[in-house]
Amino acid sequence: MRVLGLTGGIGMGKSTTAALLKRAGMRVFDADAAVAALQAPHGAALPAIGRLVPGSVHDGVLDRAVLRQAALSDPVVMRGLEGIIHPLVRRARQRFLARARRDGCRCVVLDVPLLFETGTDRICDRVVVVSAPASIQRQRVLRRGRMTPAQIDAVIARQMPDAERRRRADVIIETGLSRHETVRQVRRLLYALREGRPVAWAAARGKPA
């Protein structure tokens, strides 16, 4: 079974790319969805989060604004939160891979924002990085209306630089051009996977590496 890693910074279009792969029949592990489940009402991570950030959990429900503010303003809290969440997500990912192998899947996708940072790229056969110009990235995140410009800057600054992700990628999906162009690149990736061809190129450049 081939394991394809999918990653990209906030607002880069990773979720759109993952949705296109899933719609095409690929089985996708969504790390963000796994985190959301852990932080849902009475989720498995909430007792430890409540101890880490007093006042962030009330009656089994997470106050996301309180947690976000604490994590962005204090690196110690951020490291503590990662120490709670990452092992639980890793177990969920292992269960996903085990099920996929039992089901005889030929290829699966690990959609993980912190793919390189957590070392998850080491278990991937190839890594796809989704990328867009910084101005488009910021516009997309601002349109969501969930974070202030200062919070967006803090998140971007904490993430691996886009240039470093691109340097380490086997495939780059450029999402800053148009949806049609993004779809074209994803289809090219799917074709290579289905035909058993080498998956190692900068997709937007349109030629093998």
Side-chain angles (χ1 to χ4, degrees):
M1 185 177 74
R2 301 174 77 183
V3 178
L4 193 69
L6 176 67
T7 193
I10 186 172
M12 287 298 192
K14 181 179 60 61
S15 296
T16 296
T17 302
L20 290 170
L21 292 169
K22 194 170 184 177
R23 196 174 304 152
M26 297 284 287
R27 193 174 295 195
V28 178
F29 173 75
D30 184 340
D32 282 342
V35 172
L38 291 168
Q39 296 180 347
H42 304 288
L46 295 195
I49 291 175
R51 291 190 294 271
L52 176 68
V53 183
S56 63
V57 178
H58 305 279
D59 298 324
V61 177
L62 178 66
D63 187 326
R64 297 179 184 278
V66 170
L67 180 62
R68 183 186 301 118
Q69 184 58 39
L72 291 177
S73 60
D74 188 342
V76 174
V77 171
M78 177 59 72
R79 287 194 294 272
L81 183 61
E82 291 172 347
I84 294 167
I85 295 296
H86 289 176
L88 294 172
V89 172
R90 185 164 56 248
R91 288 175 208 160
R93 185 189 72 222
Q94 290 167 345
R95 291 192 296 269
F96 167 86
L97 290 172
R99 284 195 301 269
R101 288 192 178 96
R102 285 197 303 269
D103 293 345
C105 292
R106 295 177 57 191
C107 183
V108 297
V109 178
L110 300 183
D111 174 3
V112 183
L114 300 179
L115 189 86
F116 293 121
E117 293 90 331
T118 58
T120 308
D121 60 301
R122 291 194 292 268
I123 67 169
C124 298
D125 297 294
R126 292 291 185 270
V127 172
V128 178
V129 167
V130 181
S131 180
S135 59
I136 293 177
Q137 177 189 25
R138 283 182 57 82
Q139 288 171 13
R140 287 172 176 168
V141 183
L142 279 169
R143 281 200 301 267
R144 295 174 187 172
R146 300 175 194 161
M147 289 189 284
T148 67
Q151 288 174 330
I152 294 170
D153 289 340
V155 170
I156 292 174
R158 198 177 67 247
Q159 293 183 336
M160 178 178 286
D162 185 51
E164 177 61 14
R165 282 200 191 91
R166 292 172 68 98
R167 187 187 70 79
R168 298 172 66 171
D170 295 299
V171 178
I172 299 171
I173 301 290
E174 305 276 5
T175 69
L177 302 172
S178 68
R179 182 177 176 82
H180 174 79
E181 177 60 20
T182 300
V183 170
R184 185 194 70 81
Q185 294 170 67
V186 172
R187 284 177 176 167
R188 185 169 185 260
L189 171 62
L190 288 165
Y191 177 78
L193 291 169
R194 288 168 177 163
E195 295 297 314
R197 297 190 176 190
V199 180
W201 72 82
R205 291 200 289 270
K207 60 181 181 181

